[in-house]
Amino acid sequence: MLIVDGHAYAYRSFHAIRQLSSPSGAPTNAIFGFIKALGRMQTLLAPSHVVVVWDGGLHAQRMEQLPDYKAQRPPMPDSLEKQLDGITHFLHAAGLASLCAEGIEADDWIAVIARRFSKQVPVVIASADKDFMQLVSPTVGLLNPNDKSEKLWTAEDVRAKAGVVPEQIVDWLSLIGDSVDNIPGVPGVGPKTASDLLNQFGSIDSLYSRLAEVKSDRLRIGLQTAESAVRRNQLLIRLRDDVPEVALDELIPRAADTERLRGLFTEWGFKGMLAALSTPALAQGDLL
């Protein structure tokens, strides 16, 4: 199963292709880049199930716990926002599942799908978001677009990146914080110090129950002072389960609507994709 972090790839495509417009002058750079990236992933993985998941807003409980959660993020560029409907129109025409619900963060929905179905089918999550490292297991891998090797990240890759195993990622991020989500960590605790602490104590619970064993006075006092923030961070960073149910068969690609695709590609001026519609592979819904 291929699970795609929709907004992450839309942003990535938007910034990777600076200028591209339809014959009418509407921006199409994000649409074009998204379609090409998704096609490459399908070619690489040949998945039996595909779903693109979109952010539907911030989770209410996270906002209660930290009102400044993700508050520093700039608004989406207008020229990108105008293209999101086009991407979802393409996904529907291509027969691919696209999920978005108000108040549901994409990370949580992706986590639930991965946890729920990885016992039935191996799962690959396509995203550069470090939060997903907490999900890596023998049946859940990561396809990080920042890794040009296109290898699937395993627990070994998580340890190489963070210095801890996937089961410790929530605690690791809780100690160092996450500037992308505007979550402050323990002052003076960086990735190396956090991984050293977790390799010594195993978990945040064990660390705080044995805090006297931390040799550095500065570090011990800093950890003690920040305990309530660290405990809050665990709640913020751990991916949640309270999202809508999805059936496994809903994520199986359906036959593509080639006439609808032809209309979209014509509207956008995607001549190469329009020509490819005549190939048997694309007519069967294979995005090449």
Side-chain angles (χ1 to χ4, degrees), residues 196-217:
D196 288 344
L197 287 169
L198 291 173
N199 284 318
Q200 178 182 354
F201 294 99
S203 68
I204 281 176
D205 287 343
S206 178
L207 168 62
Y208 278 105
S209 68
R210 299 162 53 195
L211 197 57
E213 297 178 31
V214 175
K215 295 180 180 180
S216 166
D217 291 341

Side-chain angles (χ1 to χ4, degrees), residues 58 63 66-75 179-183:
L58 301 180
M63 293 300 296
L66 181 65
D68 290 336
Y69 176 62
K70 297 187 178 180
Q72 87 293 0
R73 295 189 177 186
S179 60
V180 174
D181 291 344
N182 209 32
I183 300 174

Side-chain angles (χ1 to χ4, degrees), residues 260-282:
R260 178 61 176 145
L261 287 173
R262 183 173 288 108
L264 291 172
F265 294 162
T266 300
E267 175 188 344
W268 297 328
F270 294 170
K271 296 179 181 179
M273 295 181 189
L274 190 59
L277 279 175
S278 61
T279 66
L282 191 54

Side-chain angles (χ1 to χ4, degrees), residues 37-74:
L38 182 56
R40 286 195 298 273
M41 288 187 281
Q42 288 188 284
T43 299
L44 176 67
L45 300 171
S48 59
H49 300 71
V50 179
V51 58
V52 179
V53 186
W54 304 90
D55 275 317
L58 301 180
H59 196 283
Q61 290 187 19
R62 288 194 177 101
M63 293 300 296
E64 291 174 5
Q65 292 157 356
L66 181 65
D68 290 336
Y69 176 62
K70 297 187 178 180
Q72 87 293 0
R73 295 189 177 186

Side-chain angles (χ1 to χ4, degrees), residues 23-105:
S24 67
T28 57
N29 54 332
I31 299 172
F32 182 85
F34 190 99
I35 294 173
K36 297 297 285 187
L38 182 56
R40 286 195 298 273
M41 288 187 281
Q42 288 188 284
T43 299
L44 176 67
L45 300 171
S48 59
H49 300 71
V50 179
V51 58
V52 179
V53 186
W54 304 90
D55 275 317
L58 301 180
H59 196 283
Q61 290 187 19
R62 288 194 177 101
M63 293 300 296
E64 291 174 5
Q65 292 157 356
L66 181 65
D68 290 336
Y69 176 62
K70 297 187 178 180
Q72 87 293 0
R73 295 189 177 186
M76 181 181 294
D78 289 342
S79 56
L80 171 56
E81 188 172 8
K82 292 175 181 177
Q83 298 181 66
L84 295 185
D85 283 347
I87 294 174
T88 55
H89 291 332
F90 163 76
L91 292 171
H92 293 150
L96 302 176
S98 177
L99 302 178
C100 185
E102 185 176 354
I104 302 297
E105 296 187 47

